[in-house]
Each structure stands twice: as structure tokens, then as C-alpha cells.
Amino acid sequence: MGQGLWRVARNQQLQHQEYSRQNYLTREHDRRIATNSVSNTSHRKQAQGGIDIYHLLKTRKSKEQEGFINLEMLPPELSFTILSYLNATDLCLASCVWQDLANDELLWQGLCKSTWGHCSIYNKNPPLGFSFRKLYMQLDEGSLTFNANPDEGVNYFMSKGILDDSPKEIAKFIFCTRTLNWKKLRIYLDERRDVLDDLVTLHNFRNQFLPNALREFFRHIHAPEERGEYLETLITKFSHRFCACNPDLMRELGLSPDAVYVLCYSLILLSIDLTSPHVKNKMSKREFIRNTRRAAQNISEDFVGHLYDNIYLIGHVAA
């Protein structure tokens, strides 16, 4: 009886092992089929990729043999458009390959006028042998000279016929040029008040809020680092120009150039107070309104409050 039960259990164990072995072989067979399928697909992709890489290498090699695109084979409008994105240095390099295209007067004229917006020579009949490429080199040389010595720089421009000996022409040149060193420019304008007068009149402050107009003014005509006669002169000239640009607003608010002068000084002091890390007790809005209305009694409280908010949110007017 015991041996019979043992044989039954043994047979069940063998059957279970055989069943497990068959399942394992089946799973292994399926796995190998799947692996082979993936491998074949991978080989096909690699083969296809090899063909693509071959074509790419072949195309690249043919392009290298052909060299760069010849701009002279393109329509002139397209060639000039491409070259117009280059600066002066790159355009000089391009002229080594495409001499006729890169030396075109229109390209160099665009470079000159985009960097130096106004020159007296622009409005004159060009002299014999004139070229904008040569003019660009002279303007660049003159700007470097100005940044070293403003008087010598202006004399250089005049000697080359680039600028007329006129305060108005010099002021227009300064107003339309951004390559001049602002520290040297400040020294020059302090010495040439006639040029400063014409430079102030070039600003248009119509319909601008007073602090924003003052910021624009000091971006072109930089304020001195210390208070003094020159700063007072700048604020006085700005006040008169601001009133001249906004006559209706001045009548509506009851402001005069003297009142605008007081406001400008108040804005500068407030800017220093709010932005300086050395000032711990910042001026409050109520204090600013009270102090300002003492100096200029006709100014409304709401208007002075808007001035304070502008400085508080945007920052210094003469930075």
C-alpha cells in the first residue's frame, strides 16, 4: 500500500517536471524567435542607416569639393541681403572672396548710417574719389580719437570734411551716435555750452511723464557725479525744454520752469535716498509730498504722489 502511494506521488512529480520542462522550452523558443526578429530588424535598420550615412558622407564630400555657395551666382538682391547682416570686419573678410559685392557702396553706406546716424557729409555732394567704406574707416578712427581726447576727435572729423564747424552739426552728430565714451562726452559738453544748448533742443519730451523724460535726458547727456554748477545748468535747461514741449500740461498743472526745476531736484534726491544702500531710513511717500509741496506750493498732492511711485517702482532718474 505504501509503495503504491509512493509510485503515484513519484509519477505525479515526474509529470510535473516534464510539464515544467516543456513550458521552459516553449518560452525559450518564443524568446529566441523574438530575439532573432528584433536582431533582424536591427540589422535591417543598421543596413538602412548605413545607406543613409553613406549618402550623407557622399553628399558632404561633394559639397566640400564644390566649396561655399558662390554669392555671385545668386540674384543681386539676395546677395546684398545676406551681406547686409555682416559687420565691418566680416564684410572686409568677405571682400577677399566677393570683392565686387562686399565693396558695394550701399552696404557700407548702411553700416555708416546705422552707427553714426548724422554726419554733415551725408547731405553734401560727395567729393571725387569718395567711398563709404573709406568714410567708415575715418568715422571709426575719429570716434576712437574722440574717446581719447574729445577736442582732437572733433577736429579730426572737421579736417576730413565729415562735420561742419557748427554747434548744431556737432550736437546732431553726438545725439545720433552711441560709440562715444560718455565720460569724455560729459567733459566736452561741460566745456562747449553752445553745443549743449543745441543738443538739449533735439530732445522731444512731449506727452512724457516727468521722471521718464528726465531719465531719457540723462541717458544722452550724462549727469555729473557730484552736485555743482554743471548739474544745475543741466536741470535748468531740461526744465525749460520740458515746459516748451508740454505747454498744455504746464497750464493744466500750473507749473512753471522754476517749479519743474524744483521737482527735478526733488526726484534726484529721492532717487539717491531710495536706491542708496547707505541710507537706512528711507523717505516715505508722505514725507516726500510734504517736502516737495513746501518748495512748490501750486503742485497737487496726487501729482507728487505719482512722482514718488515712479521712482519707487522704476528706480533712479540719473543712473
Side-chain angles (χ1 to χ4, degrees), residues 259-286:
V260 174
Y261 178 92
V262 172
L263 290 177
C264 291
Y265 238 115
S266 299
L267 290 173
I268 293 174
L269 296 177
L270 177 64
S271 299
I272 297 173
D273 185 273
L274 295 181
T275 59
S276 175
H278 303 292
V279 180
K280 294 183 179 180
N281 297 322
K282 306 295 184 182
M283 184 182 298
S284 66
K285 185 175 182 178
R286 181 174 299 177

Side-chain angles (χ1 to χ4, degrees), residues 112 116-123 135 139 162-163 169 173 177:
C112 289
W116 299 274
H118 175 81
C119 292
S120 303
I121 197 172
Y122 293 161
N123 302 320
L135 177 62
L139 286 168
I162 297 173
L163 279 181
E169 286 296 303
F173 175 80
T177 302

Side-chain angles (χ1 to χ4, degrees), residues 15 79 91 94 156 263 291 301:
Q15 289 176 0
S79 301
L91 197 57
Y156 175 87
L263 290 177
N291 296 336
E301 183 174 332

Side-chain angles (χ1 to χ4, degrees), residues 195-203 217 221 237-238 241:
V195 177
L196 177 62
D197 290 338
D198 287 312
L199 185 58
V200 172
T201 59
L202 293 174
H203 290 81
F217 179 75
I221 306 174
K237 293 182 181 298
F238 169 81
R241 182 59 183 169

Side-chain angles (χ1 to χ4, degrees), residues 229-274:
E229 185 270 336
Y230 182 54
L231 178 60
E232 294 176 359
T233 300
L234 291 180
I235 298 177
T236 301
K237 293 182 181 298
F238 169 81
S239 301
H240 284 275
R241 182 59 183 169
F242 184 83
C243 291
C245 292
N246 299 280
D248 296 335
L249 179 63
M250 295 301 102
R251 284 193 298 268
E252 180 182 346
L253 297 176
L255 296 178
S256 64
D258 292 337
V260 174
Y261 178 92
V262 172
L263 290 177
C264 291
Y265 238 115
S266 299
L267 290 173
I268 293 174
L269 296 177
L270 177 64
S271 299
I272 297 173
D273 185 273
L274 295 181

